[in-house]
Amino acid sequence: MLINIKKIFFCLTAAIICTTGLHHLKAQEPTAQLKKTTQHVINTLTDEKLSEEKQLKQLRNIVNKRFDWPNMSRRALGHHWLNLSDKNKEEFTELFSRLLEDKYLEKLKQYSDKTEIEYKNEKIDKDYASIDTIAKVENKEKVYITYRLHREQDKWLVHDVVIENVSLVNNYRSQFNSMLARMSFEKLLDKIRAKVAK
Amino acid sequence: MSKTTILTVFLLSLSILTITPCMAQQENDQQKKINTELEEQYVPPKVQQKQVHIDDPLQPVNRVVFVFNDKLYFWVLKPAAQGYKVALPRPARKSIGNFFKNVTTPIRFTNSLLQGEFNEAGTVLKRFAINTTWGVAGLSDPAKTELNIKPQKADFGQTLGKYHMPHLIYINWPVLGPSSVRNTFGKVGDYFLDPTSYLKREAGIAATATDKINTLSFQLGRYKEIKQAALDPYIAIRDGFLQRRKALVEDKDERNTK
């Protein structure tokens, strides 16, 4: 009887250790993953050996791995997204990602290798997370960026960037809502196309 | 009419009466499903940031004012701030900014009290005492740099928001820019709490102008940046204003975390 209880106890602890251990392995903490990406971006931005063209290409590669563009596009269009054809969805995602990428990289361009980034207030709710970052840029005002992420298997992907309290996705959603009340979807695409081409 | 026909009619109407709401219910459920799908997919729980909305019946007028303010910025304010920035080095501009922040303490103190934030009010008062003496009339900010007592934000518009007054409608004021009915009341309230309002007319105008240009000299390029990335700059700025105000009212302004 005593042995049995001991056995059960042993099995239980083993099971608990295994599951918690596995749970821990399931996903690297979002902050660690985000840190890797931002550091990578800054390293590339400050690498003077790279040609401008190569630099941009590399930056896009890094950002693409961490940002969930289709998700962001869906959020930005809200209920309009449901009425789109697959082709339109793809086209929109492509253009919108360019737009966001430009805006995001433009903001990060002021960072230098001396920039210290503080990561704080990591909040995790099931498969969603948000992380505040404060960048101390030399001789300039601090830059406040909050990242909102979700988990896909073991990867944490960004689906919104909040710069100085303004969510980019929400900001574009307001614009799209207002514009789609006045113009067709095709016209909207043209407008984004013109903006991105600049 | 026989009893059976009456019965059939009765049963039929009964079934119609019960089925139609059922069908409507089904349609409703479907709509609900789409809605929750959207909610779940597009707005994550807890870490979410909800869309803010404001009525904008004055939009045609607001847009005209927007163009006016835009020109005012690029033709007058920006060159002025640029010249000012060249003339005065960053530490001097920081000092001027600190000075005005210190002078406007009554706004933050009174509003912290009105919001029932007594700790915050205490911090505001502590900062004022330290910076006015040690910081030489508020020209430097030893409270923050030496003692790590961070500045607090509080204004009357925020107070009204905390008491659940809605924005009502969006107003884009000439010169002053994005606002709402609530924030306009807020600005009026702050005006009476601002000591520089009680200066003689010319001195008051000079003080306000210096404060504004000084603040702007730290933010040059920001407006252009926003405008460049926007597809509809008017809406982008209106939404940015709303999001910022919302963060402030909900105490989610990360620049204000203790």
Side-chain angles (χ1 to χ4, degrees), chain A residues 71 74-75 78-79 81-82 99 103 106-107 110 120-121 123-125 128-130 132-133 139-141 144-146 148 159-160 162-167 170-179 182 188 191-192 195, chain B residues 34 37-38 40-52 59 63 90 94 144 150 153 218-219 222 225-233 235-241 243-244 247-248 252-255 257-258:
Chain A
N71 191 306
R74 215 167 55 203
R75 282 167 197 280
H79 67 275
W81 178 267
L82 295 172
L99 196 67
K103 166 102 184 165
E106 189 66 41
K107 200 80 206 170
Q110 7 175 0
K120 56 185 219 174
N121 300 335
K123 280 177 243 157
I124 303 179
D125 182 18
Y128 291 98
S130 105
D132 295 345
T133 69
N139 286 327
K140 272 192 182 161
E141 301 307 291
Y144 296 82
I145 301 181
T146 299
R148 295 177 193 280
H159 65 250
D160 196 1
V162 186
I163 300 177
E164 325 258 302
N165 290 318
V166 179
S167 143
N170 282 357
N171 194 267
Y172 278 108
R173 180 159 47 192
S174 298
Q175 294 180 54
F176 293 146
N177 266 336
S178 160
M179 290 166 87
R182 281 175 278 139
L188 179 77
K191 288 235 169 191
I192 309 178
K195 198 97 216 168
Chain B
I34 292 173
E37 210 169 274
L38 274 171
E40 275 165 18
Q41 270 181 340
Y42 306 131
V43 194
K46 267 190 204 168
V47 288
Q48 65 181 306
Q49 182 154 6
K50 271 193 190 145
Q51 186 80 355
V52 272
Q59 194 172 137
R63 276 188 190 269
R90 193 181 152 88
K94 271 273 172 206
K144 182 176 140 195
K150 297 209 175 108
K153 271 189 192 166
F218 291 102
Q219 297 166 349
R222 188 174 286 182
E225 196 184 286
I226 295 169
K227 223 183 117 185
Q228 247 166 8
L231 293 158
D232 184 337
I235 301 285
I237 284 181
R238 187 183 79 187
D239 180 76
F241 162 77
Q243 287 199 44
R244 287 220 173 99
L248 195 64
K252 279 187 192 145
D253 191 334
E254 68 232 58
R255 287 170 294 184
T257 43
K258 283 141 237 170

Side-chain angles (χ1 to χ4, degrees), chain B residues 1-257:
Chain B
M1 237 195 295
S2 69
K3 266 185 187 168
T4 37
T5 28
I6 293 172
L7 194 66
T8 339
V9 169
F10 175 72
L11 279 177
L12 260 176
S13 51
L14 192 71
S15 61
I16 288 168
L17 274 174
T18 46
I19 283 171
T20 19
C22 248
M23 271 160 67
Q25 184 66 35
Q26 222 169 22
E27 223 166 86
N28 245 334
D29 280 352
Q30 204 160 11
Q31 189 57 44
K32 242 189 198 161
K33 204 182 147 211
I34 292 173
N35 283 345
T36 47
E37 210 169 274
L38 274 171
E39 284 280 312
E40 275 165 18
Q41 270 181 340
Y42 306 131
V43 194
K46 267 190 204 168
V47 288
Q48 65 181 306
Q49 182 154 6
K50 271 193 190 145
Q51 186 80 355
V52 272
H53 172 81
I54 192 167
D55 285 328
D56 192 2
L58 302 177
Q59 194 172 137
V61 185
N62 281 341
R63 276 188 190 269
V64 174
V65 176
F66 182 83
V67 174
F68 171 78
N69 283 350
D70 185 78
K71 297 281 177 267
L72 182 75
Y73 175 81
F74 284 111
W75 293 349
V76 183
L77 298 177
K78 193 183 162 197
Q82 262 167 342
Y84 178 87
K85 194 178 174 183
V86 172
L88 284 175
R90 193 181 152 88
R93 287 185 288 124
K94 271 273 172 206
S95 289
I96 292 170
N98 285 335
F99 176 78
F100 278 109
K101 251 182 228 154
N102 197 51
V103 165
T104 51
T105 296
I107 299 179
R108 288 187 301 282
F109 179 68
T110 313
N111 281 297
S112 297
L113 285 184
L114 287 175
Q115 291 165 18
E117 305 269 4
F118 299 112
N119 280 340
E120 252 186 60
T123 309
V124 171
L125 213 56
K126 231 189 285 171
R127 280 178 48 80
F128 181 72
I130 295 165
N131 287 343
T132 310
T133 52
W134 185 4
V136 194
L139 285 171
S140 67
D141 189 354
K144 182 176 140 195
T145 53
E146 307 297 324
L147 304 172
N148 202 26
I149 307 174
K150 297 209 175 108
Q152 306 288 323
K153 271 189 192 166
D155 59 53
F156 195 46
Q158 181 197 27
T159 304
L160 292 173
K162 286 204 171 185
Y163 284 104
H164 305 291
M165 177 183 174
H167 273 297
L168 296 175
I169 61 167
Y170 182 68
I171 307 172
N172 194 16
W173 288 106
V175 189
L176 300 173
S179 193
S180 64
V181 173
R182 180 174 94 194
N183 258 57
T184 304
F185 277 118
K187 284 275 178 230
V188 174
D190 290 343
Y191 176 83
F192 287 109
L193 290 169
D194 182 354
T196 57
S197 313
Y198 298 96
L199 292 169
K200 273 195 185 146
R201 210 161 143 232
E202 289 80 12
I205 293 169
T208 312
T210 314
D211 185 17
K212 293 287 174 250
I213 295 289
N214 193 61
T215 311
L216 187 61
S217 74
F218 291 102
Q219 297 166 349
L220 280 169
R222 188 174 286 182
Y223 174 63
K224 201 177 153 202
E225 196 184 286
I226 295 169
K227 223 183 117 185
Q228 247 166 8
L231 293 158
D232 184 337
Y234 171 80
I235 301 285
I237 284 181
R238 187 183 79 187
D239 180 76
F241 162 77
L242 284 177
Q243 287 199 44
R244 287 220 173 99
R245 290 306 300 182
K246 188 164 181 267
L248 195 64
V249 169
E250 290 174 355
D251 282 327
K252 279 187 192 145
D253 191 334
E254 68 232 58
R255 287 170 294 184
N256 204 18
T257 43

Side-chain angles (χ1 to χ4, degrees), chain A:
Chain A
M1 187 65 195
L2 200 70
I3 300 162
N4 257 348
I5 288 174
K6 262 189 181 169
K7 251 190 192 166
I8 290 166
F9 187 70
F10 175 75
C11 285
L12 267 177
T13 24
I16 288 167
I17 289 168
C18 278
T19 44
T20 47
L22 278 177
H23 183 74
H24 200 74
L25 278 178
K26 215 170 153 190
Q28 232 183 333
E29 282 151 46
T31 302
Q33 293 196 10
L34 180 70
K35 235 182 203 168
K36 232 169 100 188
T37 301
T38 34
Q39 202 49 52
H40 210 155
V41 168
I42 292 169
N43 288 347
T44 313
L45 274 171
T46 50
D47 188 352
E48 282 161 13
K49 277 176 239 153
L50 286 171
S51 68
E52 210 168 298
E53 201 182 322
K54 220 174 171 188
Q55 191 183 45
L56 193 67
K57 212 176 153 195
Q58 213 165 328
L59 284 171
R60 288 209 163 121
N61 253 332
I62 301 164
V63 175
N64 278 346
K65 275 186 204 145
R66 185 61 62 203
F67 283 56
D68 187 344
W69 299 123
N71 191 306
M72 288 173 116
S73 308
R74 215 167 55 203
R75 282 167 197 280
L77 275 185
H79 67 275
H80 297 290
W81 178 267
L82 295 172
N83 308 327
L84 292 183
S85 68
D86 286 349
K87 192 178 149 271
N88 274 341
K89 281 178 188 172
E90 221 169 274
E91 218 176 346
F92 178 81
T93 306
E94 168 71 26
L95 285 168
F96 186 53
S97 66
R98 274 293 167 89
L99 196 67
L100 286 177
E101 207 169 46
D102 286 351
K103 166 102 184 165
Y104 176 68
L105 290 176
E106 189 66 41
K107 200 80 206 170
L108 257 57
K109 257 184 197 158
Q110 7 175 0
Y111 291 13
S112 70
D113 44 356
K114 280 189 197 139
T115 304
E116 271 175 56
I117 306 179
E118 195 188 327
Y119 295 82
K120 56 185 219 174
N121 300 335
E122 181 192 76
K123 280 177 243 157
I124 303 179
D125 182 18
K126 284 174 200 149
D127 287 338
Y128 291 98
S130 105
I131 301 161
D132 295 345
T133 69
I134 305 173
K136 293 191 184 96
V137 188
E138 267 200 331
N139 286 327
K140 272 192 182 161
E141 301 307 291
K142 289 181 188 167
V143 182
Y144 296 82
I145 301 181
T146 299
Y147 294 86
R148 295 177 193 280
L149 310 98
H150 60 271
R151 183 164 60 194
E152 238 159 62
Q153 284 156 351
D154 60 343
K155 266 189 109 183
W156 284 94
L157 298 173
V158 176
H159 65 250
D160 196 1
V161 181
V162 186
I163 300 177
E164 325 258 302
N165 290 318
V166 179
S167 143
L168 282 191
V169 167
N170 282 357
N171 194 267
Y172 278 108
R173 180 159 47 192
S174 298
Q175 294 180 54
F176 293 146
N177 266 336
S178 160
M179 290 166 87
L180 285 171
R182 281 175 278 139
M183 58 182 78
S184 69
F185 188 74
E186 289 302 320
K187 195 94 187 286
L188 179 77
L189 284 182
D190 283 344
K191 288 235 169 191
I192 309 178
R193 217 170 272 133
K195 198 97 216 168
V196 171
K198 257 183 213 165

